[in-house]
Amino acid sequence: MAKIFCIANQKGGVGKTTTAINLAAGLANLGQRVLLVDLDPQGNATMGSGIDKSQLEYSIYQVLIGHREIIETKCRSESGGYDMIPANRHLAGAEIELVDFDNRESILRLALNQIRMDYDFILIDCPPALSLLTLNGLCAANGVIVPMQCEYFALEGLSDLVNTIKQVHANLNQDLKIIGLLRVMFDARTALQQQVSEQLISHFGDKVFKTIIPRNVRLAEAPSYGMPGVIYDKSSRGAKAYIDFGAEMIQRIQTL
Ligand code: ATP
Ligand code: MG
C-alpha cells in the first residue's frame, strides 16, 4: 500500500516540481513502484516527465470534477520509469467548478484510494498556493515534503504552510504530518544560506532532511529534454543529491 506524500510550499519557484520529478525517478531507480500526480495547472511536472501537456486526452482535471476514473487518466513517464496522472491548464477551472461539490477537499483522496495498492510511493506536485487544489493534496497525503531555499524570507513563509498543515490535521486528515524540510538550490559558499540553514535546524531539528540539494544547472536543463535530472545526467551533483534523497526518504518512512 503506497505512502502518499505532497510536495508543497505556497511560495513559487522554490523547487517543488524539480523535487517531485527527481524524487519520483530516484525512487523508481531504487526499485520502488511510483506514481507522480501533477496537481498544478502549469503542468510542469507533466512536461518534465516527457509527457506533452497539450496532447492529453484526459488529465487530473476530469478526475476532480468526476468525469473520469483515475485509472483512465494514468500514463507512463518512459524517461522517468514511473506512472503519472498528468495535468494542464484545464485544471485551473477545477478550483471554481468544485466550489459547490460536497467534500470538495477529499476528491483526490477517494480517487487515489482506488489505485493505492499498485504503488509503493505516490507523490503529489502541488501548485504555489494554499488553494483548494493544494488542500486536496494535503487531505490525500500521509505527509508533506517542503522544499525550500535558504533565503531571508524563507522561514516567514513557512509559518503559513505549517498553520495550514495543522488545520488540515485537526479538521480533515489526522494522518497528515510534515515529513521534512528539504534544502534545495543550496549554495554552500553563501554565508546567508549557511545562516538560514542553521536557523532551520535549530527551529525544526531532525525535521530537516540530511540531504542537501545543491544549485546545479543540469537539474534546470533536464526538463527541456522531458527527462528528470537524475536520468539526464546521472553523474551530476544535482542528480546524486536527489538519488541520496530517495534513499533518505525510504529510510525515513520506516520510522513513520
Ligand atoms: P512553481 O511554484 O512555479 O510550481 P516550483 O516550486 O515547482 O515552481 P521548480 O519549477 O522546480 O519550482 O524550480 C524553479 C526553477 O528553478 C526552474 O527553472 C528549475 O529548473 C530551477 N531549479 C530547481 N531546482 C534547481 C537546482 N537544484 N539547481 C538549479 N536550478 C534549479
Ligand atoms: Mg512547480
Side-chain angles (χ1 to χ4, degrees), residues 11-19 40 42 44 125-126 128 185 213-217 219-220 223:
K11 209 165 172 236
V14 293
K16 293 181 288 295
T17 301
T18 305
T19 297
D40 185 344
Q42 295 181 99
N44 293 343
D125 184 32
C126 290
M185 297 190 230
I213 311 297
R215 184 172 285 284
N216 179 246
V217 70
L219 291 174

